[in-house]
Each structure stands twice: as C-alpha cells, then as structure tokens.
Amino acid sequence: MGLFAKLEKSMVWAIALGFVVGATLLALLNTFVATIVMPLVSWLFGGSDLASQYSTLVEPSEDNIRGVTLAWGQFLDTLITSVAVLLVVWALVKLHNSGKLKMPSTSKKK
C-alpha cells in the first residue's frame, strides 16, 4: 500500500480540506465583523472606533511613566468577534444535525 493510499484511508485529506475551508470561513467572517458589524457598533458608541476606547485609572507621572489604563474597547471588540464566530459555528452544527445541511460522504460505497 502506497503513501497516498494510506493517507486516503486515514482521512488525512478530509481533515486537511476541513482545516483549509475552516480557515477560509474564519477569515471571511472576521472581515465581515471588522468591516460591517464593528462600524455599526462604533456608531452606536458615538462614532469612534470601539477598539481604541479605554479608561485611565492612574495618570502618567514621573514615577509611573505609563500610568494605568483599562483597554476595555479592545476587549469588547474581540468579544464581539468571538461571539459572531461562535454563532456561525453553532448555526452550522444546528443545520447539520437537523439534516438540512448535508456534508459530503468520505466513505466509498462498494
């Protein structure tokens, strides 16, 4: 049995294809969130970029050059992106489990 036959039998090709498709969908979803969803959220927060929002707890001084800030905007930006990705994955799983989304079969019929 050759190397390619072993790889095909062990489903490595299906796993690799799933990884590539998943990475592509993730990039597409991240772009959608960054270019469509986040501008709408920023508009709701007064028109500024949400990721650049922060709160200063301690002002910079001679002793503490950087000060202390909470970058809550970046956290919310990441949280919204993560929730959007999880919702899409959840919807795909629900569609698959309901039978409305058919995945191609990797087994060979004899």
Side-chain angles (χ1 to χ4, degrees), residues 38-89:
M38 292 314 294
L40 293 174
V41 172
S42 295
W43 176 70
L44 291 173
F45 276 89
S48 62
D49 181 26
L50 183 62
S52 66
Q53 300 295 316
Y54 64 93
S55 296
T56 302
L57 299 178
V58 177
E59 293 290 333
S61 64
E62 290 181 16
D63 297 335
N64 187 2
I65 295 173
R66 292 185 59 206
V68 177
T69 59
L70 293 177
W72 56 269
Q74 183 64 43
F75 174 75
L76 282 179
D77 185 60
T78 304
L79 180 67
I80 291 169
T81 302
S82 299
V83 167
V85 170
L86 290 173
L87 283 174
V88 169
V89 169

Side-chain angles (χ1 to χ4, degrees), residues 15-29:
I15 294 169
L17 180 63
F19 180 78
V20 169
V21 169
T24 303
L25 287 176
L26 180 63
L28 180 66
L29 185 60

Side-chain angles (χ1 to χ4, degrees), residues 25 86-97 101 103:
L25 287 176
L86 290 173
L87 283 174
V88 169
V89 169
W90 176 80
L92 288 174
V93 168
K94 291 292 274 185
L95 282 172
H96 180 267
N97 289 342
L101 179 66
M103 296 293 178

